[in-house]
């Protein structure tokens, strides 16, 4: 399997820091944020990784990470020219992912303590053309995409509601996804949202509609480090997790 880390985006909630550098390069403990996703993939046996980055910070990424050899991986870079959404960024992995190949997608600001290996191994046993997302119980699900489970088969997600006012569950969809190359065809079937982006929730809902979207639940610490508070908490939590 291969890995894809989506690390573009403007990080507006972290202004003015993100006027200086890309959000995913901000320090979390001793290392830039993006290093933790790289390490989690490596520990699960995934060493061939694509980084989708913005052109404004491309030099910073390559200066620090280089080929990835120092981190035990092989890195490929692609530039997302515009902030056109997560699904648009994911589409740039077409060509990096071989026909029929499976891969793991991480949003670069998703930080977590858990080993991905058991979830990856379970996904490998799913039929081709299906997808998996990882969930996490949260206190305020209104801030996230919220899964609604299939009434006939509770191992599947029926649909995902994006930032609902009245969530039907207390789970959120984290930025950890698993697909095969069929996802690129799915992306081709979604339209841009009102904010002009190709939304990953719309892609996942196409899988859900076809009853092809499974899930697992993270049991350890997880955070989307998109605010100053969560960035500070993540730095404290992860300060000793990389050598």
């Amino acid at each position: 399997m291969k890995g894809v880390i989506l690390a573009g985006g403007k990080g507006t909630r972290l202004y003015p820091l993100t006027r200086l550098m890309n959000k995913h390069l901000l320090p979390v403990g001793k290392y830039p944020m993006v290093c933790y996703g790289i390490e989690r993939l490596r520990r699960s046996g995934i060493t061939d990784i694509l980084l989708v980055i913005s052109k404004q910070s491309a030099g910073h990424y390559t200066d620090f990470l280089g080929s990835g050899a120092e981190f035990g991986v092989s890195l490929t870079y692609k530039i997302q020219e515009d902030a056109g959404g997560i699904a648009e960024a994911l589409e740039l992995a077409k060509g990096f992912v071989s026909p029929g190949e499976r891969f793991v997608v991480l949003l670069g600001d998703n930080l977590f303590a858990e080993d991905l290996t058991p979830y990856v191994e379970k996904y490998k046993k799913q039929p081709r053309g299906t997808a998996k997302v990882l969930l996490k119980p949260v206190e305020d699900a209104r801030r996230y995409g919220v899964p609604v489970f299939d009434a006939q088969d509770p191992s599947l997600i029926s649909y995902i509601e994006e930032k609902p006012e009245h969530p039907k569950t207390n789970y959120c969809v984290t930025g950890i996804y698993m697909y095969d190359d069929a996802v690129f065809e799915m992306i081709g079937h979604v339209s841009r949202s009102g904010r002009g982006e190709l939304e990953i929730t719309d892609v996942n809902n196409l899988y859900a509609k076809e009853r092809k979207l499974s899930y697992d639940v993270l049991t350890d610490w997880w955070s989307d480090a998109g605010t100053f508070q969560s960035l500070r908490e993540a730095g404290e939590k992860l300060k000793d997790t990389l050598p």
Side-chain angles (χ1 to χ4, degrees):
M1 288 181 71
K2 290 179 178 175
V4 176
I5 299 178
L6 305 182
K10 296 180 178 179
T12 53
R13 291 182 295 168
L14 289 169
Y15 274 3
L17 279 179
T18 47
R19 291 177 58 189
L20 178 66
M21 66 174 64
N22 183 272
K23 170 176 65 174
H24 308 92
L25 292 171
L26 293 175
V28 175
K30 300 176 183 177
Y31 288 85
M33 185 187 302
V34 70
C35 292
Y36 295 92
I38 292 171
E39 177 63 10
R40 287 288 172 248
L41 290 174
R42 188 195 66 78
R43 288 188 182 184
S44 67
I46 297 172
T47 57
D48 196 357
I49 300 170
L50 173 68
L51 275 179
V52 178
I53 58 178
S54 63
K55 60 183 177 182
Q56 291 85 354
S57 299
H60 294 301
Y61 279 101
T62 56
D63 284 347
F64 188 83
L65 297 171
S67 68
E70 180 182 345
F71 297 88
V73 299
S74 174
L75 294 177
T76 301
Y77 300 89
K78 284 200 175 182
I79 303 295
Q80 184 179 14
E81 294 285 348
D82 301 302
I86 293 172
E88 182 182 87
L90 176 56
E91 195 170 27
L92 294 174
K94 190 175 183 180
F96 173 76
V97 175
S98 301
E101 191 170 33
R102 299 173 188 248
F103 61 106
V104 178
V105 180
L106 303 181
L107 301 189
D109 62 354
N110 271 233
L111 301 170
F112 52 96
E114 207 149 337
D115 182 2
L116 289 176
T117 303
Y119 306 118
V120 169
E121 292 304 313
K122 284 181 67 175
Y123 177 61
K124 287 179 180 178
K125 297 176 183 178
Q126 286 188 199
R128 294 203 174 274
T130 63
K132 179 186 288 291
V133 297
L134 298 188
L135 310 180
K136 181 68 180 176
V138 291
E139 290 185 3
D140 186 5
R142 293 175 299 175
R143 297 173 48 211
Y144 304 96
V146 176
V148 177
F149 302 113
D150 190 297
Q152 297 178 341
D153 185 349
S155 70
L156 299 176
I157 292 174
S158 179
Y159 61 96
I160 298 168
E161 292 184 303
E162 191 63 33
K163 297 180 175 65
E165 182 62 30
H166 302 288
K168 293 182 173 63
T169 71
N170 68 329
Y171 291 93
C172 78
V173 179
T174 72
I176 307 170
Y177 317 106
M178 301 180 195
Y179 305 107
D180 62 18
D181 66 320
V183 72
F184 302 119
E185 182 178 353
M186 290 290 197
I187 294 172
H189 291 304
V190 302
S191 302
R192 293 193 180 274
S193 64
R195 58 182 184 172
E197 297 187 0
L198 295 178
E199 308 286 355
I200 196 66
T201 295
D202 292 340
V203 174
N204 288 331
N205 274 334
L206 288 180
Y207 281 102
K209 186 177 181 180
E210 297 182 6
R211 308 187 82 243
K212 293 180 177 179
L213 183 62
S214 70
Y215 67 91
D216 275 306
V217 179
L218 293 172
T219 59
D220 208 333
W221 177 85
W222 166 87
S223 175
D224 63 335
T227 67
F228 287 105
Q229 179 179 346
S230 60
L231 185 66
R232 183 172 60 252
E233 291 172 352
E236 182 62 28
K237 182 73 176 181
L238 298 176
K239 63 182 179 181
D240 297 320
T241 61
L242 286 177

